[in-house]
Short mmCIF file of all heavy atoms in Angstrom, two decimals:
data_model
loop_
_atom_site.label_atom_id
_atom_site.label_comp_id
_atom_site.label_asym_id
_atom_site.label_seq_id
_atom_site.Cartn_x
_atom_site.Cartn_y
_atom_site.Cartn_z
N GLU A 1 24.94 16.61 -12.81
CA GLU A 1 25.63 15.33 -12.81
C GLU A 1 26.01 14.82 -11.42
O GLU A 1 26.93 14.03 -11.26
CB GLU A 1 26.86 15.37 -13.73
CG GLU A 1 26.49 15.61 -15.18
CD GLU A 1 27.69 15.59 -16.10
OE1 GLU A 1 28.75 15.10 -15.70
OE2 GLU A 1 27.53 16.07 -17.23
N THR A 2 25.32 15.27 -10.38
CA THR A 2 25.53 14.72 -9.04
C THR A 2 24.85 13.36 -8.98
O THR A 2 23.92 13.08 -9.74
CB THR A 2 24.93 15.64 -7.96
OG1 THR A 2 23.54 15.82 -8.22
CG2 THR A 2 25.64 16.97 -7.92
N PRO A 3 25.28 12.50 -8.07
CA PRO A 3 24.64 11.18 -7.97
C PRO A 3 23.15 11.34 -7.64
O PRO A 3 22.77 12.21 -6.86
CB PRO A 3 25.38 10.49 -6.82
CG PRO A 3 26.63 11.28 -6.62
CD PRO A 3 26.39 12.65 -7.14
N PRO A 4 22.33 10.50 -8.22
CA PRO A 4 20.88 10.63 -7.98
C PRO A 4 20.51 10.26 -6.54
O PRO A 4 21.14 9.40 -5.93
CB PRO A 4 20.26 9.64 -8.96
CG PRO A 4 21.34 8.68 -9.27
CD PRO A 4 22.63 9.42 -9.13
N ARG A 5 19.49 10.94 -6.01
CA ARG A 5 18.99 10.62 -4.67
C ARG A 5 18.11 9.38 -4.71
O ARG A 5 18.07 8.62 -3.78
CB ARG A 5 18.16 11.78 -4.13
CG ARG A 5 18.94 12.96 -3.74
CD ARG A 5 18.01 13.87 -2.98
NE ARG A 5 18.49 15.21 -2.99
CZ ARG A 5 17.74 16.25 -2.75
NH1 ARG A 5 16.46 16.10 -2.52
NH2 ARG A 5 18.25 17.46 -2.75
N PHE A 6 17.39 9.22 -5.80
CA PHE A 6 16.47 8.10 -5.93
C PHE A 6 17.07 7.08 -6.88
O PHE A 6 17.36 7.39 -8.02
CB PHE A 6 15.12 8.58 -6.48
CG PHE A 6 14.18 7.47 -6.83
CD1 PHE A 6 13.56 6.74 -5.83
CD2 PHE A 6 13.94 7.13 -8.14
CE1 PHE A 6 12.70 5.71 -6.15
CE2 PHE A 6 13.08 6.11 -8.47
CZ PHE A 6 12.46 5.39 -7.46
N VAL A 7 17.27 5.89 -6.40
CA VAL A 7 17.75 4.81 -7.24
C VAL A 7 16.67 3.73 -7.23
O VAL A 7 16.40 3.14 -6.19
CB VAL A 7 19.08 4.23 -6.71
CG1 VAL A 7 19.55 3.07 -7.57
CG2 VAL A 7 20.13 5.32 -6.64
N PRO A 8 16.00 3.51 -8.36
CA PRO A 8 14.93 2.52 -8.36
C PRO A 8 15.49 1.12 -8.12
O PRO A 8 16.48 0.73 -8.71
CB PRO A 8 14.32 2.64 -9.76
CG PRO A 8 15.29 3.40 -10.56
CD PRO A 8 16.17 4.16 -9.64
N ARG A 9 14.87 0.41 -7.17
CA ARG A 9 15.27 -0.96 -6.85
C ARG A 9 14.03 -1.83 -6.81
O ARG A 9 12.97 -1.39 -6.40
CB ARG A 9 15.94 -1.02 -5.48
CG ARG A 9 17.40 -0.66 -5.53
CD ARG A 9 18.00 -0.86 -4.19
NE ARG A 9 17.95 0.48 -3.57
CZ ARG A 9 18.05 0.72 -2.31
NH1 ARG A 9 18.18 -0.24 -1.46
NH2 ARG A 9 18.01 1.95 -1.86
N PHE A 10 14.20 -3.07 -7.21
CA PHE A 10 13.11 -4.02 -7.17
C PHE A 10 13.53 -5.20 -6.31
O PHE A 10 14.67 -5.63 -6.37
CB PHE A 10 12.74 -4.49 -8.57
CG PHE A 10 12.37 -3.35 -9.48
CD1 PHE A 10 13.25 -2.90 -10.45
CD2 PHE A 10 11.15 -2.71 -9.34
CE1 PHE A 10 12.91 -1.85 -11.28
CE2 PHE A 10 10.81 -1.65 -10.15
CZ PHE A 10 11.68 -1.22 -11.12
N ASN A 11 12.61 -5.69 -5.52
CA ASN A 11 12.92 -6.81 -4.63
C ASN A 11 12.54 -8.14 -5.25
O ASN A 11 12.27 -9.09 -4.53
CB ASN A 11 12.19 -6.61 -3.29
CG ASN A 11 12.69 -5.41 -2.55
OD1 ASN A 11 13.87 -5.07 -2.65
ND2 ASN A 11 11.83 -4.74 -1.83
N PHE A 12 12.49 -8.22 -6.56
CA PHE A 12 12.20 -9.47 -7.22
C PHE A 12 13.06 -9.57 -8.46
O PHE A 12 13.50 -8.58 -9.03
CB PHE A 12 10.71 -9.57 -7.59
CG PHE A 12 10.15 -8.31 -8.19
CD1 PHE A 12 10.29 -8.04 -9.53
CD2 PHE A 12 9.49 -7.40 -7.40
CE1 PHE A 12 9.79 -6.88 -10.08
CE2 PHE A 12 8.97 -6.24 -7.94
CZ PHE A 12 9.12 -5.98 -9.29
N SER A 13 13.31 -10.80 -8.87
CA SER A 13 14.19 -11.04 -10.01
C SER A 13 13.36 -11.15 -11.29
O SER A 13 12.14 -11.25 -11.25
CB SER A 13 14.97 -12.34 -9.78
OG SER A 13 14.07 -13.42 -9.79
N ALA A 14 14.07 -11.18 -12.40
CA ALA A 14 13.39 -11.38 -13.69
C ALA A 14 12.72 -12.75 -13.72
O ALA A 14 11.65 -12.92 -14.29
CB ALA A 14 14.39 -11.25 -14.83
N ARG A 15 13.33 -13.72 -13.05
CA ARG A 15 12.74 -15.07 -12.97
C ARG A 15 11.39 -15.01 -12.26
O ARG A 15 10.44 -15.69 -12.64
CB ARG A 15 13.70 -16.01 -12.24
CG ARG A 15 13.21 -17.41 -12.16
CD ARG A 15 14.28 -18.31 -11.53
NE ARG A 15 13.74 -19.65 -11.40
CZ ARG A 15 13.63 -20.28 -10.25
NH1 ARG A 15 14.03 -19.70 -9.13
NH2 ARG A 15 13.15 -21.49 -10.20
N ASP A 16 11.31 -14.19 -11.20
CA ASP A 16 10.03 -14.04 -10.49
C ASP A 16 8.96 -13.45 -11.39
O ASP A 16 7.79 -13.82 -11.32
CB ASP A 16 10.20 -13.14 -9.26
CG ASP A 16 11.05 -13.77 -8.17
OD1 ASP A 16 11.11 -15.02 -8.12
OD2 ASP A 16 11.66 -13.02 -7.39
N LEU A 17 9.36 -12.50 -12.22
CA LEU A 17 8.40 -11.86 -13.11
C LEU A 17 7.89 -12.80 -14.19
O LEU A 17 6.76 -12.68 -14.64
CB LEU A 17 9.03 -10.63 -13.78
CG LEU A 17 9.28 -9.44 -12.87
CD1 LEU A 17 10.04 -8.37 -13.63
CD2 LEU A 17 7.98 -8.88 -12.35
N LEU A 18 8.73 -13.71 -14.63
CA LEU A 18 8.37 -14.63 -15.70
C LEU A 18 7.76 -15.93 -15.19
O LEU A 18 7.47 -16.83 -15.97
CB LEU A 18 9.61 -14.94 -16.56
CG LEU A 18 10.22 -13.71 -17.24
CD1 LEU A 18 11.51 -14.08 -17.94
CD2 LEU A 18 9.23 -13.09 -18.21
N ARG A 19 7.57 -16.02 -13.87
CA ARG A 19 7.02 -17.23 -13.26
C ARG A 19 5.61 -17.50 -13.77
O ARG A 19 4.81 -16.59 -13.91
CB ARG A 19 7.01 -17.04 -11.74
CG ARG A 19 6.47 -18.21 -10.98
CD ARG A 19 6.58 -17.92 -9.52
NE ARG A 19 5.78 -16.75 -9.18
CZ ARG A 19 4.99 -16.68 -8.12
NH1 ARG A 19 4.93 -17.67 -7.28
NH2 ARG A 19 4.29 -15.60 -7.88
N ARG A 20 5.33 -18.74 -14.06
CA ARG A 20 4.00 -19.14 -14.53
C ARG A 20 3.26 -19.80 -13.38
O ARG A 20 3.79 -20.69 -12.72
CB ARG A 20 4.13 -20.10 -15.70
CG ARG A 20 2.81 -20.57 -16.23
CD ARG A 20 3.01 -21.42 -17.47
NE ARG A 20 1.81 -22.14 -17.82
CZ ARG A 20 0.79 -21.62 -18.49
NH1 ARG A 20 0.86 -20.37 -18.87
NH2 ARG A 20 -0.26 -22.34 -18.77
N VAL A 21 2.03 -19.38 -13.16
CA VAL A 21 1.20 -19.96 -12.12
C VAL A 21 -0.02 -20.57 -12.80
O VAL A 21 -0.73 -19.88 -13.51
CB VAL A 21 0.76 -18.88 -11.10
CG1 VAL A 21 -0.16 -19.47 -10.06
CG2 VAL A 21 1.97 -18.24 -10.45
N ASP A 22 -0.21 -21.83 -12.59
CA ASP A 22 -1.37 -22.50 -13.16
C ASP A 22 -2.54 -22.36 -12.20
O ASP A 22 -2.45 -22.73 -11.02
CB ASP A 22 -1.07 -23.99 -13.41
CG ASP A 22 -0.07 -24.18 -14.53
OD1 ASP A 22 -0.16 -23.42 -15.52
OD2 ASP A 22 0.78 -25.06 -14.41
N PHE A 23 -3.64 -21.83 -12.70
CA PHE A 23 -4.85 -21.65 -11.90
C PHE A 23 -5.87 -22.67 -12.36
O PHE A 23 -6.24 -22.73 -13.52
CB PHE A 23 -5.39 -20.23 -12.09
CG PHE A 23 -6.68 -19.98 -11.36
CD1 PHE A 23 -6.68 -19.81 -9.99
CD2 PHE A 23 -7.88 -19.95 -12.03
CE1 PHE A 23 -7.86 -19.59 -9.30
CE2 PHE A 23 -9.07 -19.73 -11.36
CZ PHE A 23 -9.06 -19.56 -9.99
N ASN A 24 -6.33 -23.50 -11.43
CA ASN A 24 -7.30 -24.54 -11.74
C ASN A 24 -8.68 -24.07 -11.29
O ASN A 24 -9.02 -24.17 -10.11
CB ASN A 24 -6.91 -25.84 -11.04
CG ASN A 24 -7.83 -26.99 -11.42
OD1 ASN A 24 -8.74 -26.83 -12.23
ND2 ASN A 24 -7.58 -28.13 -10.82
N ILE A 25 -9.48 -23.56 -12.23
CA ILE A 25 -10.81 -23.04 -11.90
C ILE A 25 -11.76 -24.15 -11.47
O ILE A 25 -12.69 -23.94 -10.71
CB ILE A 25 -11.40 -22.22 -13.06
CG1 ILE A 25 -12.59 -21.39 -12.59
CG2 ILE A 25 -11.79 -23.12 -14.22
CD1 ILE A 25 -13.07 -20.36 -13.58
N LYS A 26 -11.51 -25.38 -11.93
CA LYS A 26 -12.38 -26.51 -11.58
C LYS A 26 -11.99 -27.14 -10.25
O LYS A 26 -12.76 -27.90 -9.68
CB LYS A 26 -12.34 -27.57 -12.68
CG LYS A 26 -12.95 -27.08 -13.98
CD LYS A 26 -12.88 -28.14 -15.04
CE LYS A 26 -13.49 -27.62 -16.33
NZ LYS A 26 -13.43 -28.61 -17.40
N GLY A 27 -10.80 -26.82 -9.75
CA GLY A 27 -10.33 -27.38 -8.47
C GLY A 27 -10.72 -26.50 -7.30
O GLY A 27 -11.83 -25.96 -7.24
N ASP A 28 -9.76 -26.32 -6.39
CA ASP A 28 -10.01 -25.52 -5.19
C ASP A 28 -9.26 -24.19 -5.21
O ASP A 28 -9.23 -23.49 -4.19
CB ASP A 28 -9.58 -26.30 -3.94
CG ASP A 28 -10.53 -27.45 -3.65
OD1 ASP A 28 -11.74 -27.26 -3.85
OD2 ASP A 28 -10.06 -28.52 -3.23
N ASP A 29 -8.62 -23.84 -6.33
CA ASP A 29 -7.86 -22.59 -6.38
C ASP A 29 -8.80 -21.40 -6.26
O ASP A 29 -9.94 -21.43 -6.72
CB ASP A 29 -7.08 -22.50 -7.69
CG ASP A 29 -5.97 -23.52 -7.78
OD1 ASP A 29 -5.68 -24.17 -6.77
OD2 ASP A 29 -5.40 -23.67 -8.87
N LEU A 30 -8.30 -20.35 -5.63
CA LEU A 30 -9.10 -19.16 -5.39
C LEU A 30 -8.25 -17.93 -5.68
O LEU A 30 -7.10 -17.85 -5.24
CB LEU A 30 -9.55 -19.13 -3.92
CG LEU A 30 -10.38 -17.95 -3.46
CD1 LEU A 30 -11.77 -18.01 -4.06
CD2 LEU A 30 -10.48 -17.95 -1.94
N ILE A 31 -8.78 -16.99 -6.43
CA ILE A 31 -8.11 -15.71 -6.65
C ILE A 31 -8.68 -14.73 -5.64
O ILE A 31 -9.90 -14.54 -5.57
CB ILE A 31 -8.33 -15.18 -8.08
CG1 ILE A 31 -7.64 -16.08 -9.08
CG2 ILE A 31 -7.83 -13.75 -8.20
CD1 ILE A 31 -7.86 -15.68 -10.53
N VAL A 32 -7.81 -14.14 -4.84
CA VAL A 32 -8.22 -13.11 -3.89
C VAL A 32 -7.67 -11.80 -4.41
O VAL A 32 -6.46 -11.63 -4.54
CB VAL A 32 -7.68 -13.39 -2.47
CG1 VAL A 32 -8.09 -12.29 -1.51
CG2 VAL A 32 -8.18 -14.74 -1.98
N PHE A 33 -8.56 -10.87 -4.72
CA PHE A 33 -8.15 -9.58 -5.28
C PHE A 33 -7.98 -8.57 -4.15
O PHE A 33 -8.93 -8.22 -3.46
CB PHE A 33 -9.19 -9.09 -6.29
CG PHE A 33 -8.87 -7.75 -6.86
CD1 PHE A 33 -7.70 -7.54 -7.56
CD2 PHE A 33 -9.73 -6.69 -6.69
CE1 PHE A 33 -7.39 -6.30 -8.08
CE2 PHE A 33 -9.43 -5.44 -7.21
CZ PHE A 33 -8.26 -5.25 -7.91
N LEU A 34 -6.76 -8.13 -3.95
CA LEU A 34 -6.44 -7.10 -2.95
C LEU A 34 -6.50 -5.75 -3.65
O LEU A 34 -5.67 -5.45 -4.50
CB LEU A 34 -5.04 -7.34 -2.36
CG LEU A 34 -4.49 -6.24 -1.48
CD1 LEU A 34 -5.35 -6.04 -0.25
CD2 LEU A 34 -3.06 -6.56 -1.08
N HIS A 35 -7.48 -4.96 -3.31
CA HIS A 35 -7.68 -3.65 -3.95
C HIS A 35 -6.86 -2.60 -3.21
O HIS A 35 -7.13 -2.29 -2.06
CB HIS A 35 -9.16 -3.29 -3.90
CG HIS A 35 -9.46 -1.98 -4.56
ND1 HIS A 35 -10.74 -1.53 -4.73
CD2 HIS A 35 -8.67 -1.02 -5.11
CE1 HIS A 35 -10.73 -0.35 -5.32
NE2 HIS A 35 -9.47 -0.04 -5.56
N ILE A 36 -5.85 -2.08 -3.89
CA ILE A 36 -5.06 -0.98 -3.35
C ILE A 36 -5.64 0.30 -3.93
O ILE A 36 -5.73 0.44 -5.15
CB ILE A 36 -3.57 -1.13 -3.72
CG1 ILE A 36 -3.03 -2.44 -3.16
CG2 ILE A 36 -2.78 0.07 -3.21
CD1 ILE A 36 -1.66 -2.79 -3.61
N GLN A 37 -6.05 1.20 -3.07
CA GLN A 37 -6.76 2.40 -3.51
C GLN A 37 -5.91 3.27 -4.43
O GLN A 37 -4.71 3.37 -4.28
CB GLN A 37 -7.20 3.21 -2.29
CG GLN A 37 -8.20 2.45 -1.43
CD GLN A 37 -8.62 3.26 -0.23
OE1 GLN A 37 -8.89 4.44 -0.34
NE2 GLN A 37 -8.66 2.61 0.91
N LYS A 38 -6.59 3.92 -5.36
CA LYS A 38 -6.01 4.88 -6.31
C LYS A 38 -4.97 4.25 -7.23
O LYS A 38 -4.01 4.89 -7.63
CB LYS A 38 -5.38 6.08 -5.57
CG LYS A 38 -6.36 6.82 -4.69
CD LYS A 38 -7.44 7.42 -5.52
CE LYS A 38 -8.46 8.13 -4.66
NZ LYS A 38 -9.71 8.36 -5.34
N THR A 39 -5.13 2.97 -7.58
CA THR A 39 -4.20 2.31 -8.50
C THR A 39 -4.92 1.68 -9.67
O THR A 39 -4.34 0.85 -10.36
CB THR A 39 -3.39 1.22 -7.76
OG1 THR A 39 -4.31 0.25 -7.25
CG2 THR A 39 -2.54 1.79 -6.65
N GLY A 40 -6.18 2.03 -9.89
CA GLY A 40 -6.95 1.45 -10.99
C GLY A 40 -7.62 0.15 -10.59
O GLY A 40 -8.06 -0.61 -11.44
N GLY A 41 -7.73 -0.12 -9.29
CA GLY A 41 -8.28 -1.37 -8.80
C GLY A 41 -9.75 -1.57 -9.13
O GLY A 41 -10.18 -2.69 -9.38
N THR A 42 -10.53 -0.51 -9.11
CA THR A 42 -11.95 -0.64 -9.42
C THR A 42 -12.12 -1.08 -10.87
O THR A 42 -12.89 -2.00 -11.16
CB THR A 42 -12.69 0.69 -9.16
OG1 THR A 42 -12.53 1.02 -7.78
CG2 THR A 42 -14.15 0.58 -9.50
N THR A 43 -11.39 -0.47 -11.77
CA THR A 43 -11.47 -0.84 -13.19
C THR A 43 -10.99 -2.27 -13.39
O THR A 43 -11.63 -3.06 -14.10
CB THR A 43 -10.61 0.12 -14.04
OG1 THR A 43 -11.08 1.44 -13.82
CG2 THR A 43 -10.67 -0.22 -15.51
#
């Protein structure tokens, strides 16, 4: 029951997580995929 060494923290709010982004495939919008190794990026 000692205080934990690791306290999970997030630098974003619930509002950030629920944010909606409209992607216009017919316009000029572009999705850039940043592949971070060993995180399932290839799949």
Side-chain angles (χ1 to χ4, degrees):
E1 297 183 16
T2 58
R5 288 191 202 160
F6 172 73
V7 178
R9 277 185 264 162
F10 302 104
N11 295 327
F12 44 83
S13 66
R15 182 175 177 240
D16 292 334
L17 289 173
L18 299 174
R19 180 177 62 136
R20 179 175 167 81
V21 177
D22 291 321
F23 177 75
N24 184 3
I25 195 168
K26 293 180 180 179
D28 289 322
D29 292 350
L30 180 70
I31 293 177
V32 179
F33 178 60
L34 171 62
H35 181 174
I36 300 172
Q37 296 180 44
K38 302 296 178 198
T39 60
T42 300
T43 302

